[in-house]
Amino acid sequence: MAMVSVKPWRTGAFMTAVLLSGCAGLGTVGGTGGAPDAPAPKVVESKPVKPKNGEASQRYLPRQAYDAQGKKVAYVPAPNPYTGASAPVPPEAVARFQAANRLMADEQYRDARKAFEGITRDYPDLSGPWVKLGELAEIGERMERAEKSYEKALAVNPENVNAYLALALFQRRSGDFEAARDTYVAALELWKDFPEAHLNLAILYDLYMNQPASAQPHFEAYDFLTEGDNPQVADWLIEIRRRTGIETSFIDNPPPAPKATEESASAEPMAAEKSLEAENTEEKG
């Protein structure tokens, strides 16, 4: 099964603002968009504790709920803590970030690195530039510097979910699969309804760690959270269920039919038989 990992960020003005977002201790800065807004900015003092056991990731699966009548209750995803921002990113910082991104896209890597470094000096509360510096370090095959840049992004803003993905992908590419798993799990501990973390964790489990039974719940979680809008993932789910033999959903387990309904259904044939007996008696009389 050929799979391609989800990139930890997307291009465009929205994700530019998201990548720039700010610092723990000062509140979250900037970013609005696809995910629901947080009711209020949350300050996180340190990175979430990484569970030592990768199977702990199943604690962060979404669950389809049902009402008393057995009907599905609309699922409301937890808000993205990174985009639930309260203060805008300074326009100058956004402009400089976009200019640095253009340099990077044009493969002017040295100038791009200097530009992003300048942003980190002038706007130390912004974590996004550190993610980009990590990317540039990887391009230059400076792996130790890349890892430190991703970790710095998380130190500046422990709610930067994109930095978790960037660090985990770096760890996976470096062959440290257990560290990558723990980083994805840490991201899900921060935001349990993080679709890309579920998908990349599933790919890691399946293709790199040969644990398809651990991968299946997270493929299901991604499919559920994105409302099945990725047909390729739907195909992967069919294929992985064939391999694991697990057909029961980890996400959607409908309750048994109400007892009263069952009794009513079983009583209907009996009532029909009694009605027929009555008709026969009348005819004989």
Side-chain angles (χ1 to χ4, degrees):
M1 174 173 57
M3 297 184 183
V4 180
S5 297
V6 172
K7 291 183 180 180
W9 48 85
R10 301 179 179 87
T11 57
F14 162 63
M15 289 311 295
T16 296
V18 170
L19 282 170
L20 280 166
S21 296
C23 169
L26 299 177
T28 305
V29 181
T32 59
D37 290 333
K42 181 176 68 174
V43 175
V44 176
E45 298 300 332
S46 61
K47 291 169 63 176
V49 177
K50 298 178 182 179
K52 296 183 181 300
N53 183 354
E55 293 303 309
S57 64
Q58 292 194 27
R59 292 192 309 228
Y60 308 113
L61 296 176
R63 306 287 183 184
Q64 175 63 64
Y66 287 80
D67 63 19
Q69 286 71 45
K71 295 181 180 179
K72 287 184 178 181
V73 176
Y75 186 78
V76 180
N80 181 346
Y82 189 39
T83 57
S86 58
V89 176
E92 182 189 355
V94 173
R96 289 174 61 179
F97 189 92
Q98 291 173 336
N101 250 344
R102 286 192 292 271
L103 289 171
M104 189 172 173
D106 292 339
E107 298 184 0
Q108 299 181 46
Y109 298 132
R110 186 168 180 270
D111 291 339
R113 176 175 56 80
K114 288 183 177 180
F116 284 121
E117 286 175 345
I119 299 172
T120 65
R121 287 192 298 270
D122 296 337
Y123 299 93
D125 296 340
L126 302 180
S127 62
W130 286 106
V131 175
K132 304 301 288 185
L133 286 169
E135 286 185 72
L136 287 165
E138 281 199 78
I139 290 170
E141 298 184 353
R142 299 176 179 179
M143 298 308 174
E144 185 176 352
R145 177 179 292 184
E147 185 173 24
K148 287 181 178 179
S149 294
Y150 295 137
E151 290 176 345
K152 178 64 175 179
L154 287 169
V156 171
N157 183 359
E159 294 188 331
N160 186 338
V161 295
N162 297 312
Y164 281 100
L165 285 191
L167 176 60
L169 287 169
F170 169 83
Q171 292 165 330
R172 193 207 73 193
R173 287 190 289 264
S174 301
D176 195 347
F177 301 148
E178 290 188 356
R181 175 202 63 197
D182 290 347
T183 300
Y184 286 131
V185 173
L188 291 173
E189 186 175 12
L190 175 66
W191 181 26
K192 71 181 183 66
D193 292 328
F194 188 0
E196 287 79 9
H198 281 292
L199 180 57
N200 278 287
L201 179 57
I203 292 169
L204 177 73
Y205 272 137
D206 192 23
L207 288 187
Y208 296 90
M209 302 183 78
N210 193 27
Q211 297 178 23
S214 295
Q216 183 172 329
H218 296 286
F219 278 129
E220 288 189 17
Y222 176 84
D223 192 58
F224 177 76
L225 292 167
T226 59
E227 299 181 343
D229 70 350
N230 189 327
Q232 188 174 26
V233 173
D235 290 342
W236 294 346
L237 263 175
I238 293 170
E239 194 273 340
I240 202 168
R241 283 172 178 149
R242 187 179 299 121
R243 283 189 283 128
T244 64
I246 302 172
E247 294 295 333
T248 304
S249 174
F250 290 87
I251 309 299
D252 185 6
N253 293 297
K259 189 173 181 181
T261 302
E262 293 177 356
E263 291 176 351
S264 174
S266 63
E268 286 177 4
M270 295 177 62
E273 289 176 8
K274 289 181 179 180
S275 176
L276 182 59
E277 287 178 5
E279 288 177 5
N280 291 337
T281 301
E282 290 175 0
E283 289 175 2
K284 290 179 182 178

